[in-house]
């Protein structure tokens, strides 16, 4: 057996292992992987998602068991300290020695920390590992307890810096971005696109400081500010340094391998270093005198190194590396491809800019107007995949290239069909998957749908930017083979959501089994179709989740949000955020009685965490006695209608936003929809209720209300679009009734209003035709259906506490009244939290 030692278990180190074990001929090799961190490889590209759930497992590339199952020895928490090239051995920091036949260096990079006076002070962090993020979270929690309006700055306005800015926002600190250059993302964006990005980021709460050279960090033991000049400083309570990276090349340098002037281990197109038995891949490798900081080139390097060790001599890195990339930074699409900056002598630039919508599109074309050479997209990168393919494959462009970034006059597209791409077109750069491989998997019968294609080829499992094109190719290939592309809900229903909606409505079904028996394909249903049918019956018949609780998902089944230790949160409705002192006192008393963690939510409600299953009806009973009802925080239904104080109190208020917000929340409470819904009512254009970030939002203006539709967007945030101006209360209700019912009728499962609206043929103008002009002749039906739902509303909590049969499902054990004694809580700022999982 020959030994391969991989030093570094990051994304690229893991990818080497994955590619190596997938190839034939690996049986005579033993692979040992050293990881400096205490856990297996995880996804650093999506590191900021750790702030959403603080679940490190969710970021793992593969569990520890995967390595042993594939014959790989994984050693974590142990740093390799030395390489002896003569004896072909490595020595670890624990003074253990291992021999190798081939050594693969995948140590990646470390954050560059500028030599600024005071940078060692408490409260200064780097943004690189999960441990870094855990340290930031702990420090931020301490800060907020002492200073609710605490500020945090990020040093660096590049890709990682803006990701760190999102992290700071997620921690509830006032965010500031400090950049030395005169623009954000100086390596990827030109000045105009950077300005558009800056305007967008500032509009969502980031404070941007450009052309700032930090002289020193202020404070005694901990940071209190940053000084840029004699009279130029910024008071901050925390600093995240994200000013670039430096290759972790010290192992290679100390062992005499050739390194670059500015760092990085020199490699050839085989990924071999100056020692033919040692390979370097990822951000440590200096190839073509460049360090490539994107994951896709690193994965390609891993594949080449694996091939070379297995004797595949023709596997080489290409001479030129495509640095095109598409990212979502704090909810903003940013993409660049080909040559984003192009001298005038080489070609022409065509620019479309709309600062009011924070959009910027630039394409660079050859002097003869026949070739696409590159481009930049900010704010809307939906066309990136196709533009990138046109550039990569030298495809023909329209006579008027501007059509590539401007809507076609007939509402069509200038791109042609996705099937026009050549078979060698690389669709997924992270996993090097071509169009031919995707289509081939379908044509061979290996895959019959998108999930099958992903499983066979791994396309879309990296950054995820290629998923829309993978889906388009899959469907187009199936159609070309004469196979009907079914949009069925799951294996139990060949019908899609819209067809099921119509069938349940016409037939008057009230149980899941009626629908399954008459229109299903057999079986007993699954976790996809059961909650969907339950939601449809609720939307059509105003059924509550108590009607058939067994087909609901976990949260709807128990009318509460299940938390990570098996307890539940209770969120009573507080319409419009208005609450009487008596009700406020009652909430405090109930929370104290049941020892619940208490938090004011972003939707101006009070959330009570830590209730055990058997406590839920007891808590609801007391809340109901004080005039509360279910807030439906667990359901795909209306959550809140957020309001400002409006003309009731505010000197700027144009109308009584609180009263109208309460009326709307009470009207739409309990309706079930494809996804959760939020509303907002602002009393003036200062927008204190953030109405344009909601599924439906109102802003009071002279002469009535401006109505906005289709905002929020969840993981893809977006502003709502202006639908109607200066309309009265009655018209607002009529339009929202029709909008929500049309959405509930036609959207896909778990599709938010924003995504549904984006995919409607004709968009907002089509909605005006349907809702205002009654183009489809269904307005009266929509009005009647919504009024029926409004009239039939019942509080699910009240139903449950008044029905002894329903109460049975809130026991921990079906055969015992005992409580679950496995729940463990630990202190948190005078309250409690679940003990961390191991």
């Amino acid at each position: 057996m020959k030994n391969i030692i991989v030093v570094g278990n990051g994304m690229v180190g893991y990818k080497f292992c994955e590619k190596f074990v997938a190839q034939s001929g690996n049986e005579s090799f033993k692979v040992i992987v050293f990881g400096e961190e205490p856990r297996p490889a995880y996804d650093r590209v999506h590191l900021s998602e750790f702030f959403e759930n603080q679940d490190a497992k969710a970021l793992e590339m593969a569990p520890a068991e995967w390595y042993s199952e594939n014959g790989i020895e994984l050693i974590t928490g142990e740093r390799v300290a030395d390489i002896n090239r003569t004896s072909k051995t490595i020595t670890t920091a624990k003074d253990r020695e291992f021999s190798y036949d081939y050594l693969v260096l995948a140590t990646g990079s470390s954050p560059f920390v500028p030599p600024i006076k005071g940078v060692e002070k408490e409260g200064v962090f780097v943004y690189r590992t999960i441990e870094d993020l855990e340290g930031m979270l702990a420090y931020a929690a301490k800060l907020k307890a002492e200073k609710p309006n605490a500020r945090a700055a990020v040093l660096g306005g590049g890709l990682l810096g803006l990701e760190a800015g999102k992290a700071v926002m997620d921690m509830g600190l006032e965010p500031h971005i400090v950049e030395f250059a005169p623009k954000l993302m100086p390596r990827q964006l030109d000045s105009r696109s950077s300005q558009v990005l800056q305007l967008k980021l500032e509009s969502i709460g980031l404070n941007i400081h450009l052309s700032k050279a930090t002289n020193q960090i202020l404070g005694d033991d901990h940071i209190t500010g940053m000084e840029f000049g004699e009279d130029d400083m910024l008071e901050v309570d925390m600093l995240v340094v994200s000013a670039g990276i430096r290759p972790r090349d010290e192992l290679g340098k100390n062992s005499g391998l050739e390194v670059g002037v500015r760092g990085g281990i020199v490699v050839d197109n085989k990924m071999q270093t100056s020692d033919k038995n040692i390979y370097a891949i990822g951000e440590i490798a200096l190839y073509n005198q460049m360090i490539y900081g994107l994951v896709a080139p690193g994965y390609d390097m891993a594949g080449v190194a694996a091939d070379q060790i297995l004797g595949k001599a023709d596997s080489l890195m290409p001479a030129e590396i495509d640095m095109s990339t598409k990212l979502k930074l704090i909810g903003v699409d940013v993409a660049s491809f080909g040559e984003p900056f192009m001298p005038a002598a080489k070609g022409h630039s065509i620019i479309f800019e709309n600062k009011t919508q924070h959009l910027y599109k630039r394409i660079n074309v050859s002097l003869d107007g026949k070739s696409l050479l590159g481009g930049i997209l900010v704010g809307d990168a939906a066309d990136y995949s196709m533009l990138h393919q046109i550039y990569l494959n030298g495809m023909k462009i329209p006579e008027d290239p501007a059509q590539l970034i401007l809507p076609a006059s007939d509402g069509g597209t200038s791109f042609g069909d996705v099937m026009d791409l050549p078979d060698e077109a690389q669709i997924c750069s992270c996993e090097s998957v071509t169009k031919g491989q995707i289509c081939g998997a379908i044509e061979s019968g290996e895959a019959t749908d998108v999930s099958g294609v992903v499983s066979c080829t791994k396309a879309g499992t990296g950054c995820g930017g290629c998923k829309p094109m993978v889906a388009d190719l899959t469907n187009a290939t199936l159609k070309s083979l004469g196979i009907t592309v079914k949009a069925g809900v799951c294996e139990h229903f060949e019908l899609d959501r819209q067809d099921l909606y119509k069938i349940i409505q016409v037939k008057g079904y009230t149980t899941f089994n009626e629908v399954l028996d008459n229109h299903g394909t057999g079986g007993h249903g699954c976790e996809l179709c059961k909650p969907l049918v339950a939601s449809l019956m609720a939307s059509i018949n105003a059924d509550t989740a108590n009607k058939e609780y067994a087909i609901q998902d976990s949260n709807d089944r128990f009318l509460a949000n299940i938390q990570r230790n098996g307890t539940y949160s209770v969120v009573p409705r507080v319409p419009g955020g208005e609450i009487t002192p008596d009700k406020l006192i009652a909430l405090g008393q109930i929370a104290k009685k049941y020892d619940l963690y208490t938090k004011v939510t972003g939707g101006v409600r009070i959330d009570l965490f830590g209730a055990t299953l058997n406590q839920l009806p007891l808590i609801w009973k007391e809340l109901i006695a004080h005039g509360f009802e279910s807030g439906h925080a667990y359901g795909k239904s209306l959550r809140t209608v957020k309001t400002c104080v409006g003309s009731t109190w505010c000197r700027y208020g144009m109308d009584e936003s609180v009263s109208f917000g309460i009326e709307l929340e009470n009207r739409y409470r309990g309706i079930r929809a494809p996804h959760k819904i939020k509303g907002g009512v602002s009393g003036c254009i200062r927008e204190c209720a953030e109405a344009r970030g909601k599924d439906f939002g109102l802003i009071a203006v002279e002469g009535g209300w401006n109505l906005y539709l289709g905002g929020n967007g969840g993981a893809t945030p977006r502003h709502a679009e202006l639908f109607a101006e200066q309309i009265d209360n009655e018209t607002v209700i009529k339009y929202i009734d029709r909008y929500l019912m049309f959405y509930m009728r036609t959207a896909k499962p778990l599709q938010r209003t924003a995504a549904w609206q984006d995919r409607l043929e004709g968009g907002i103008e089509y909605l005006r035709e349907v809702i205002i002009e009654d183009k489809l002749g269904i307005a009266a039906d929509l009005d009647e259906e919504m009024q029926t739902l409004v009239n039939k509303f019942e509080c699910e909590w009240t139903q449950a506490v008044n029905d002894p049969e329903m109460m049975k499902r809130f026991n921990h054990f079906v055969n015992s009244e005992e409580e679950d004694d496995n729940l463990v809580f630990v202190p948190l700022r005078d309250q409690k939290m679940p003990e961390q999982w191991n």
Side-chain angles (χ1 to χ4, degrees), residues 4-10 13 17 31-37 39 67 72-81 90-93 96-99 103-104 106-107:
I4 301 172
I5 291 181
V6 182
V7 184
N9 188 225
C17 296
V31 180
I32 305 172
V33 181
F34 285 89
E36 191 173 280
E37 294 184 55
R39 52 177 57 84
Y67 295 84
I72 299 170
E73 182 180 353
L74 174 64
I75 301 173
T76 57
E78 189 165 355
R79 179 175 59 86
V80 174
I90 60 99
T91 305
T92 74
R96 296 201 295 165
E97 188 174 276
F98 296 79
S99 62
L103 185 64
V104 179
T107 48

Side-chain angles (χ1 to χ4, degrees), residues 105-315:
L105 299 179
T107 48
S109 62
S110 59
F112 169 63
V113 180
I116 301 169
K117 182 180 178 183
V119 78
E120 73 288 345
K121 286 183 169 63
E122 184 183 8
V124 179
F125 297 87
V126 294
Y127 186 78
R128 184 65 177 171
T129 68
I130 287 176
E131 284 69 33
D132 293 332
L133 270 57
E134 288 174 335
M136 290 163 61
L137 280 167
Y139 197 79
K142 174 185 165 187
L143 276 179
K144 287 190 292 183
E146 300 169 353
K147 187 177 179 181
N149 59 343
R151 292 175 162 191
V154 176
L155 186 61
L159 292 174
L160 289 176
L162 295 179
E163 279 292 309
K166 180 183 186 302
V168 165
M169 290 184 75
D170 289 344
M171 288 186 286
L173 303 176
E174 181 182 306
H176 293 259
I177 303 290
V178 177
E179 169 58 43
F180 176 77
K183 63 179 182 178
L184 294 174
M185 295 181 63
R187 293 189 177 184
Q188 289 83 17
L189 301 181
D190 58 17
S191 295
R192 294 177 69 167
S193 58
S194 183
Q195 288 172 8
V196 171
L197 176 63
Q198 180 178 345
L199 287 171
K200 176 61 177 176
L201 295 180
E202 287 174 337
S203 75
I204 60 178
L206 256 72
N207 301 280
I208 312 293
H209 309 268
L210 302 175
S211 302
K212 296 291 185 185
T214 308
N215 293 337
Q216 65 172 319
I217 307 300
L218 303 175
D220 295 328
D221 298 328
H222 60 274
I223 180 173
T224 59
M226 303 168 70
E227 183 195 290
F228 310 119
E230 188 173 344
D231 297 313
D232 190 7
M233 61 170 290
L234 175 66
E235 291 184 8
V236 293
D237 306 286
M238 178 173 160
L239 175 64
V240 181
V241 179
S242 185
I245 59 172
R246 293 291 181 268
R248 289 280 306 274
D249 58 8
E250 58 272 16
L251 270 176
K253 188 182 297 182
N254 293 339
S255 65
L257 293 177
E258 182 183 354
V259 296
V261 175
R262 300 184 64 183
I265 298 176
V266 176
V267 294
D268 59 16
N269 59 0
K270 300 176 182 178
M271 305 318 298
Q272 285 179 324
T273 67
S274 53
D275 184 325
K276 300 306 179 186
N277 296 309
I278 301 178
Y279 295 78
I281 57 178
E283 291 174 337
I284 188 182
L286 185 69
Y287 178 60
N288 289 342
Q289 296 302 306
M290 276 191 66
I291 298 291
Y292 297 92
L294 299 177
V295 69
Y299 282 2
D300 288 342
M301 292 176 181
V304 170
D307 287 344
Q308 288 290 331
I309 290 173
L310 289 168
K312 299 179 181 179
D314 57 346
S315 179

Side-chain angles (χ1 to χ4, degrees), residues 453-529:
V453 168
V454 172
S455 177
C456 294
T457 66
K458 290 190 172 290
T461 58
C463 71
C466 63
K467 285 181 179 178
M469 185 164 279
V470 172
D472 289 345
L473 272 173
T474 300
N475 292 335
T477 305
L478 289 169
K479 288 178 181 177
S480 72
L481 296 173
I483 300 171
T484 302
V485 179
K486 296 178 181 178
V489 170
C490 65
E491 61 185 280
H492 304 104
F493 289 98
E494 294 182 352
L495 302 164
D496 62 17
R497 182 184 178 278
Q498 288 72 39
D499 290 336
L500 281 173
Y501 186 105
K502 293 169 188 172
I503 287 169
I504 293 170
Q505 187 178 45
V506 172
K507 297 288 188 180
Y509 295 134
T510 58
T511 68
F512 174 76
N513 284 338
E514 285 179 311
V515 182
L516 183 65
D517 291 346
N518 288 287
H519 305 281
T521 58
H524 303 284
C526 64
E527 69 277 5
L528 294 177
C529 60

Side-chain angles (χ1 to χ4, degrees), residues 203-465:
S203 75
I204 60 178
L206 256 72
N207 301 280
I208 312 293
H209 309 268
L210 302 175
S211 302
K212 296 291 185 185
T214 308
N215 293 337
Q216 65 172 319
I217 307 300
L218 303 175
D220 295 328
D221 298 328
H222 60 274
I223 180 173
T224 59
M226 303 168 70
E227 183 195 290
F228 310 119
E230 188 173 344
D231 297 313
D232 190 7
M233 61 170 290
L234 175 66
E235 291 184 8
V236 293
D237 306 286
M238 178 173 160
L239 175 64
V240 181
V241 179
S242 185
I245 59 172
R246 293 291 181 268
R248 289 280 306 274
D249 58 8
E250 58 272 16
L251 270 176
K253 188 182 297 182
N254 293 339
S255 65
L257 293 177
E258 182 183 354
V259 296
V261 175
R262 300 184 64 183
I265 298 176
V266 176
V267 294
D268 59 16
N269 59 0
K270 300 176 182 178
M271 305 318 298
Q272 285 179 324
T273 67
S274 53
D275 184 325
K276 300 306 179 186
N277 296 309
I278 301 178
Y279 295 78
I281 57 178
E283 291 174 337
I284 188 182
L286 185 69
Y287 178 60
N288 289 342
Q289 296 302 306
M290 276 191 66
I291 298 291
Y292 297 92
L294 299 177
V295 69
Y299 282 2
D300 288 342
M301 292 176 181
V304 170
D307 287 344
Q308 288 290 331
I309 290 173
L310 289 168
K312 299 179 181 179
D314 57 346
S315 179
L316 304 170
M317 280 296 286
E320 294 186 12
I321 305 296
D322 179 27
M323 293 297 284
S324 304
T325 184
K326 176 187 173 186
L327 303 155
K328 188 169 288 293
L329 297 167
I330 320 181
V332 184
D333 280 338
V334 178
S336 65
F337 62 95
E339 295 186 58
F341 314 115
M342 193 182 66
K346 190 172 182 179
H348 303 294
S349 293
I350 301 170
I351 294 173
F352 169 75
E353 183 176 29
N354 185 340
K355 287 187 177 179
T356 62
Q357 295 185 6
H358 305 113
L359 292 177
Y360 178 89
K361 299 182 180 183
R362 166 180 171 170
I363 54 171
N364 303 320
V365 299
S366 59
L367 291 172
D368 61 10
K370 294 182 178 180
S371 302
L372 181 62
L373 304 180
I376 297 171
L377 305 170
V378 173
D380 177 12
D383 297 331
Y384 165 78
S385 294
M386 201 64 192
L387 287 170
H388 187 211
Q389 291 299 330
I390 292 171
Y391 154 72
L392 284 177
N393 298 289
M395 296 170 66
K396 183 180 179 182
I397 62 176
E399 288 188 18
D400 178 9
Q403 293 177 22
L404 293 172
I405 55 174
L406 295 175
S409 57
D410 61 357
T413 176
S414 301
F415 294 131
D417 192 272
V418 68
M419 293 299 281
D420 293 338
L421 294 172
D423 283 349
E424 61 272 16
Q426 190 176 82
I427 305 302
C428 176
S429 58
C430 293
E431 296 290 342
S432 300
V433 182
T434 65
K435 174 202 168 189
Q437 290 173 291
I438 291 171
C439 297
I442 300 165
E443 290 164 353
S444 67
E446 192 177 2
T448 57
D449 55 19
V450 174
S451 60
V453 168
V454 172
S455 177
C456 294
T457 66
K458 290 190 172 290
T461 58
C463 71

Side-chain angles (χ1 to χ4, degrees), residues 36-95:
E36 191 173 280
E37 294 184 55
R39 52 177 57 84
Y42 56 89
D43 184 353
R44 291 192 204 276
V45 173
H46 298 99
L47 190 59
S48 61
E49 293 177 10
F50 181 75
F51 289 97
E52 295 177 12
N53 51 28
Q54 296 176 43
D55 182 5
K57 286 279 186 184
L59 292 173
E60 276 187 1
M61 305 291 288
E65 297 77 29
W66 177 88
Y67 295 84
S68 56
E69 288 169 1
N70 286 279
I72 299 170
E73 182 180 353
L74 174 64
I75 301 173
T76 57
E78 189 165 355
R79 179 175 59 86
V80 174
D82 186 49
I83 301 170
N84 188 321
R85 290 167 52 198
T86 304
S87 62
K88 296 177 72 172
T89 59
I90 60 99
T91 305
T92 74
K94 295 181 179 180
D95 207 30

